[in-house]
Amino acid sequence: MSGKLYGIGVGPGDPELITLKAARIIESAEVIAYPAPDPGESFARAIAAKHIAGDTREIVIRIAMRAGHVPSEPYDRAAEEIAAELEDGRDVIVLCEGDPFFYGTFMYLHDRLCPRFGCEIVPGVSSLTAVAAAASRPLTRRTGTLNVFPATLDPAILKARLGESEAAAILKVGRHLPQLKELIADLGRLDEAVYVSHASLPQQKVVPLAELEADEAPYFSMILIAKVER
């Protein structure tokens, strides 16, 4: 009998934001897999570290962090290695920062493996809700709408869509920060924007975008845009 594949959201960074269900499944895992930069340590594993038993087999999915299309090779290799474990009857737990289905790396393994094996998704606290909490800003209310954009969108497309948005969140800010700040200022919405990096972590930073003096942001940063109601 084949094993089961689990996609486990471990939250935005604070280990205390891991759900009870996620912690229980991780603690019982025979095999866990997780993404890691090439080179570098896995943020997802660091979040879940205290729940990982010493004899758990670990599969590291090395992914080169670069702009452009998502590379298929690391996920193809990982899917083969994970499939071998599942075919031998062992469950495999895949750790994912934030929530597995909100810009989560797990979705690429889900595409490759879930048509063949049993699969369960355990949702996690997303970066979006963690950023809203850090900024003390509701994302939306009553009949309001919220749009979510990656900073990697074509600037002209992003500007047009932001211009039509009541409230918006821009993810993956990174090196796009100066361009985003200029674009938001051109739309006359700079005073509505707040910048948040490393939400839920000790180095968390929350600054009105208009006051932010930086040319680049960490990967784990986001801009929220919305009129503040009192």
Side-chain angles (χ1 to χ4, degrees):
M1 186 175 179
S2 297
K4 187 175 183 180
L5 179 68
Y6 290 85
I8 305 290
V10 296
D14 182 350
E16 291 187 337
L17 293 179
I18 292 179
T19 66
L20 294 174
K21 183 171 184 178
R24 173 178 58 79
I25 293 172
I26 295 167
E27 287 165 359
S28 65
E30 286 186 88
V31 184
I32 64 167
Y34 46 80
D38 188 14
E41 300 298 317
S42 169
F43 185 39
R45 191 199 186 284
I47 296 169
K50 76 172 187 178
H51 301 290
I52 300 172
D55 59 350
T56 301
R57 169 161 153 62
E58 301 186 25
I59 298 172
V60 185
I61 307 167
R62 292 285 176 191
I63 303 168
M65 301 301 288
R66 60 177 184 266
H69 295 293
V70 175
S72 61
E73 294 83 2
Y75 295 104
D76 290 340
R77 288 195 300 269
E80 288 182 11
E81 193 170 357
I82 291 169
E85 298 287 345
L86 294 170
E87 287 166 352
D88 284 344
R90 287 179 288 277
D91 294 343
V92 179
I93 283 73
V94 180
L95 307 180
C96 186
E97 299 151 15
D99 181 89
F101 280 172
F102 184 69
Y103 292 95
T105 52
F106 173 74
M107 67 181 71
Y108 304 110
L109 294 172
H110 178 274
D111 293 343
R112 290 163 171 78
L113 294 168
C114 285
R116 299 163 51 196
F117 301 99
C119 184
E120 181 176 342
I121 313 302
V122 179
V125 176
S126 73
S127 58
L128 180 60
T129 52
V131 164
S136 193
R137 280 199 180 191
L139 291 169
T140 188
R141 63 183 77 206
R142 293 177 65 83
T143 57
T145 58
L146 171 73
N147 291 329
V148 179
F149 306 111
T152 50
L153 271 181
D154 178 273
I157 294 173
L158 179 58
K159 186 173 184 178
R161 293 183 181 176
L162 273 177
E164 299 169 351
S165 301
E166 276 185 50
I170 306 175
L171 293 75
K172 306 178 184 179
V173 172
R175 60 187 175 84
H176 303 281
L177 178 60
Q179 174 183 286
L180 291 171
K181 193 170 180 180
E182 182 179 349
L183 184 153
I184 293 165
D186 287 346
L187 290 169
R189 305 193 69 175
L190 199 57
D191 291 340
E192 299 175 19
V194 62
Y195 165 90
V196 181
S197 67
H198 299 104
S200 84
L201 293 168
Q203 67 268 41
Q204 173 180 293
K205 183 176 183 179
V206 181
V207 185
L209 186 61
E211 299 175 13
L212 183 65
E213 296 180 1
D215 294 325
E216 191 168 338
Y219 181 79
F220 294 106
S221 56
M222 192 180 303
I223 295 170
L224 296 181
I225 305 172
K227 292 180 180 178
V228 180
E229 298 188 26
R230 300 295 184 193

